[in-house]
Amino acid sequence: VSKELHEKNVGFDCFEKTESVGGIWVFSEEKGRTSVWKGLHQNSPKGNYSFRDFPMSDAFPEFPNADHVTDYLNDYVDEYVFVLKFFF
């Protein structure tokens, strides 16, 4: 949704409770915070998880781990230059 709003010049802000883009995909041992566990891999192929206009890297395995997903989400935000709309 953020990308679509950004491309249509509609003002918006994104609020992220954690310190970076990725939400629960960013591993944390912080008490009371929900996150992935170490070693988690997606249970669906990367093609099913990718945004239609921004495929996951060919360098990623077919079932990416949480670090791959976090990298992918950060790359997506960087590619479309709307990271400045995020408040952490």
Side-chain angles (χ1 to χ4, degrees):
V1 171
S2 298
K3 178 182 166 282
E4 298 298 323
L5 292 172
H6 179 71
E7 288 180 345
K8 296 197 178 356
N9 294 316
V10 174
F12 69 95
D13 294 315
C14 293
F15 295 89
E16 173 59 53
K17 188 175 182 178
T18 65
E19 65 280 352
S20 65
V21 173
I24 65 170
W25 284 103
V26 179
F27 174 76
S28 173
E29 293 182 348
E30 182 181 325
K31 189 171 185 148
R33 180 174 157 205
T34 302
S35 79
V36 297
W37 59 88
K38 281 241 184 250
L40 176 76
H41 284 73
Q42 284 185 213
N43 61 356
S44 58
K46 65 183 178 182
N48 292 352
Y49 189 80
S50 299
F51 296 112
R52 70 178 171 272
D53 59 348
F54 195 79
M56 282 194 178
S57 170
D58 289 338
F60 290 175
E62 189 62 21
F63 295 91
N65 66 30
D67 290 337
H68 292 126
V69 175
T70 300
D71 290 346
Y72 170 74
L73 293 172
N74 279 287
D75 289 347
Y76 182 80
V77 170
D78 290 345
E79 175 74 17
Y80 293 104
V81 195
F82 55 81
V83 73
L84 297 177
K85 296 290 192 174
F86 281 78
F87 294 90
F88 302 98

